[in-house]
Amino acid sequence: MDPTRQAITPELRRWIVEQARAGQPPDGVLAAMRASGWHEDVAIAAIEQALQDFLQEQGIAAPVPVPAPELEGSPSVVRAGDRDVQVLLQMALPRVVVFGALLSAAECEQLIELARPRLARSQTVQQATGGSEVNAARTSRGMFFQRGENEVVARIERRIAALLHWPLDHGEGLQVLHYGPGAEYQPHHDYFDPAQPGTPTILRRGGQRVGTVVMYLNTPARGGGTTFPDVGLEVGAVRGNAVFFSYGRAHPVTKTLHGGAPVVEGEKWVATKWLREGVFT
Ligand code: PD2
Ligand code: ZN
């Protein structure tokens, strides 16, 4: 038998991961495998594969490509298909960009009026099963448009695809949320937790989420900003503006923990676009 084709059993894989978790350096693991008769090349390949699979399961494998605006040379305005959009803030880690005037006032009004009759208590994806559930951390009401469902939704989706250089069919349908006074969305990550049993089911529709665009459809009198607690950042909710953030790993190292701060006075309307790694079906 070709010695480079020794089988890597699940037990061996588990043993390699246990050694690494116990602090054994890779050359120690390699020496132990050599001593029990493993060919060096095969042992190295097995260690690499086992650790790579383990990191993948933990969401900390190599980052995947993410949506990104073209901000070379720090332009103050970028062309997004049919519209000029302002660049108000950018941050490297977490990767956050705040855009001004992504939507017109008329588009904000139209989205609110189309969404209003369809609002229901917000549900979140239930990662244990892949279903959806009402979530106490989320005291808003919401609805989803189908991708391209009407003219204004289709126009905004084309604009986001052009702005972020990300295919239109990699986007989920636009979600509209309404928060009344006191309502909030407690800090969370938008990617799906790789450790949850329902995640593989969720990932069948287009893979992981890799980016989020939260668009503000009105300006609450006070409160309602989008917060990034890891870095102490709060983006003010101003009509037509949007906050974009991306995450090439499904892991807190991306520092993309974020929440919707409580609305202190007035109400808040947002539209959220989540972008997937692949085609969202
Ligand atoms: O409404 C927000 O500011 C907000 C905050 C955090 C929206 C979302 N997450 C979201 O839709 O994922
Ligand atoms: Zn979110």
Side-chain angles (χ1 to χ4, degrees), residues 38 44 81 96 104 107 133 140 147 179-180 210 231 243 266:
W38 284 82
I44 290 172
V96 172
S104 71
E107 287 167 339
E133 65 178 350
S140 56
R147 205 167 52 212
Y179 304 74
V210 290
V231 290
V243 58

Side-chain angles (χ1 to χ4, degrees), residues 175 177 179 185 188 190 214 225-226 258-260 268 270 272 274:
Q175 184 192 48
L177 293 179
Y179 304 74
Y185 193 172
H188 59 275
D190 281 353
V214 177
T226 302
H258 65 284
K268 174 186 174 187
V270 295
T272 302
W274 286 292

Side-chain angles (χ1 to χ4, degrees), residues 22 38 56 66 104-105 112 137 171 175 178 182 204 209 244 246 270 279:
W38 284 82
Q56 182 83 48
V66 293
S104 71
I112 290 173
Q175 184 192 48
H178 176 240
R204 271 190 239 133
R209 286 178 175 163
F244 161 69
S246 62
V270 295
V279 177

Side-chain angles (χ1 to χ4, degrees), residues 218-230:
N218 78 321
T219 307
R222 285 199 301 142
T226 302
T227 59
F228 292 82
D230 290 341

